[in-house]
Amino acid sequence: MTTRHRAQTILAATAILSILFNVSQVQAGGHDFIEEAKAIYRVAACGPGDVPLGFDGGTVKSHCGRMEKNMASYRENFIAKAAPFFAGTVPSGLPRSVVVPFGGGDLLPALVVYPGAAEITTISLEGAGDPRRLMKATPRQLDRALNMYRSNVGYMLLTNDNSNENIRNMERGAIPNQLAFSLTALAILGYEPVSLKYFTIEDDGSLRYLSLDEIAAMEKSKGRRLKGTWIDTDFSVAFRNMELAFRKRGGGRTIIHRHIAFNLDNSHFNGSPLQKHLERKGTISVMIKGASYLPWFENFSAIRNYCLGHMAYCVSDSTGILPKHAGDAGFRQVTYGSFSGAFLENEGGSGAAAMRELFRSQPSRPLSFRFGYSDVRKLNHLIITSKR
């Protein structure tokens, strides 16, 4: 073996050991709320199995009967169309660490876009939520909570998008916001939860998993809104950031999903522990959808520049990376579907014009499903951004 080949072998082995070490590290320490996760998975997300003791079987059966209609619609109108599209479009060999900024409730489409992911990090203004509350709900509270959740998650499943109002509605009440959305993703795609922990991010970007004593000490500190136009939560700040480990039902590799509650504008993200945590990931894959066009603006240039500086590949709707920013960073963009104007009325300026020109400059490529926002004419569109 030549010196060069020996060095390459050592580097490859080191990389594999590093991946295995990091996977083991994410599971170390902290209290595991897996029993609560399993209950929410069955009762609210309508995963398979017996209804846990303490819950009214008739209420759960009624809820899941109606949920299944929305889940079937999602499988038919999105997964059946999008999964073959992404399988034929997204190349193999991409980084298996996926980052989804502005990604409230987006574990489900992220798994369809990147089914080979080992780790998916979603970031949004919403907290993961307290997993204990559903266990304490009275029959009346349970029925009311399930009706509310079904209405909010139903919008996501029927449109493949989340409205701000629906997500805000879930920041209070018996069913934990982002945790329930993620568990619904698992139920739809045939996964099951195997671990649920909560964490804080240290100053150096490392994660510290919370023990029951630490959670108890934080119990009275409620989560205040992370943006002025958002909403205060009614649960402890301890339940803002979660790590949900899951696998295919019956076994298989474990995938890590982390949801982090954070305001991604420059004043909060620049130099933050979150930025340091994300930079530890090295090269990543990215998904951006329904992001209210925030990556277009200079007030969000830090998270945009993080993505452009670390990503190998990005799947987005028009709310993602503008052509100028992508081109200046050495990326090319390929369009699918049609774009004639921004979905939100107040975003009709130079960014929308640049997106229109990008779509006009390329051959027409059909897109049979909605991915995030439609355009102003309710037409589907999608953009692939990759290194030249």
Side-chain angles (χ1 to χ4, degrees):
M1 179 182 292
T2 67
T3 300
R4 179 183 178 186
H5 288 162
R6 186 178 297 109
Q8 289 175 334
T9 301
I10 292 172
L11 285 172
T14 302
I16 293 171
L17 288 173
S18 175
I19 291 171
L20 293 174
F21 176 76
N22 287 334
V23 170
S24 67
Q25 284 297 97
V26 297
Q27 301 290 353
H31 179 73
D32 195 342
F33 288 92
I34 184 57
E35 294 307 317
E36 290 85 349
K38 287 179 178 178
I40 297 165
Y41 174 71
R42 175 64 187 93
V43 173
C46 299
D50 296 331
V51 176
L53 293 175
F55 293 94
D56 181 71
T59 299
V60 175
K61 181 178 180 180
S62 175
H63 162 69
C64 290
R66 285 176 279 183
M67 272 282 286
E68 181 53 41
K69 295 178 181 179
N70 291 335
M71 295 162 83
S73 174
Y74 188 87
R75 293 186 185 101
E76 178 182 352
N77 295 318
F78 182 71
I79 296 177
K81 299 174 182 178
F85 171 85
F86 289 118
T89 305
V90 177
S92 61
L94 290 175
R96 298 178 68 201
S97 181
V98 178
V99 174
V100 187
F102 316 101
D106 276 341
L107 175 62
L108 180 49
L111 283 168
V112 177
V113 174
Y114 297 113
E119 172 196 88
I120 298 174
T121 301
T122 58
I123 309 162
S124 70
L125 295 170
E126 304 81 40
D130 185 341
R132 306 167 301 177
R133 291 197 171 177
L134 194 64
M135 313 290 282
K136 304 174 183 177
T138 66
R140 183 177 179 182
Q141 289 171 335
L142 175 65
D143 186 56
R144 186 164 59 241
L146 291 177
N147 284 334
M148 179 179 173
Y149 180 66
R150 189 170 59 253
S151 173
N152 291 322
V153 78
Y155 180 89
M156 178 184 76
L157 297 177
L158 293 175
T159 66
N160 190 34
D161 189 22
N162 293 309
S163 75
N164 288 343
E165 180 181 358
N166 287 340
I167 292 178
R168 278 197 297 262
N169 287 342
M170 295 297 298
E171 284 286 79
R172 298 176 178 178
I175 297 179
N177 186 352
Q178 295 300 301
L179 173 59
F181 281 129
S182 296
L183 291 170
T184 298
L186 305 192
I188 290 173
L189 294 173
Y191 293 96
E192 61 183 2
V194 296
S195 175
L196 172 65
K197 298 182 180 182
Y198 290 82
F199 62 86
T200 60
I201 307 177
E202 301 286 69
D203 288 342
D204 65 355
S206 62
L207 304 183
R208 181 167 63 84
Y209 296 87
L210 298 176
S211 67
L212 280 179
D213 288 342
E214 289 173 310
I215 290 171
M218 302 166 72
E219 195 73 58
K220 294 182 180 179
S221 179
K222 303 303 180 186
R224 301 300 298 273
R225 68 191 69 189
L226 298 178
K227 181 182 177 182
T229 57
W230 219 242
I231 187 172
D232 295 335
T233 69
D234 61 357
F235 54 81
S236 164
V237 293
F239 297 107
R240 273 186 167 162
N241 307 324
M242 72 173 183
E243 179 180 291
L244 177 66
F246 60 94
R247 67 188 176 196
K248 281 291 187 181
R249 292 179 201 132
R253 65 187 179 93
T254 298
I255 305 169
I256 300 298
H257 167 50
R258 297 191 187 97
H259 178 77
I260 298 172
F262 203 86
N263 186 336
L264 288 172
D265 69 13
N266 289 353
S267 64
H268 293 91
F269 182 71
N270 245 336
S272 67
L274 174 60
Q275 183 178 25
K276 295 173 185 176
H277 170 71
L278 294 178
E279 287 172 347
R280 284 173 165 230
K281 298 180 183 299
T283 307
I284 57 171
S285 301
V286 172
M287 186 185 83
I288 304 174
K289 58 183 283 293
S292 299
Y293 307 96
L294 297 179
W296 292 9
F297 304 121
E298 284 312 299
N299 193 36
F300 290 86
S301 60
I303 183 63
R304 182 181 70 226
N305 291 337
Y306 160 74
C307 290
L308 289 170
H310 292 80
M311 73 187 197
Y313 198 86
C314 176
V315 177
S316 75
D317 60 8
S318 59
T319 68
I321 308 295
L322 286 174
K324 173 177 172 50
H325 298 142
D328 289 349
F331 288 85
R332 66 188 290 266
Q333 293 184 299
V334 176
T335 62
Y336 296 84
S338 303
F339 179 84
S340 56
F343 177 75
L344 299 180
E345 292 180 1
N346 60 340
E347 310 302 349
S350 60
M355 281 294 181
R356 276 196 299 272
E357 180 55 32
L358 175 67
F359 276 77
R360 287 173 182 167
S361 69
Q362 298 195 14
S364 176
R365 302 179 183 93
L367 188 69
S368 63
F369 56 89
R370 176 174 169 176
F371 185 79
Y373 288 176
S374 57
D375 80 338
V376 70
R377 296 180 179 176
K378 299 184 178 180
L379 298 175
N380 302 327
H381 66 277
L382 182 147
I383 303 168
I384 301 290
T385 304
S386 59
K387 280 288 187 182
R388 291 199 185 103

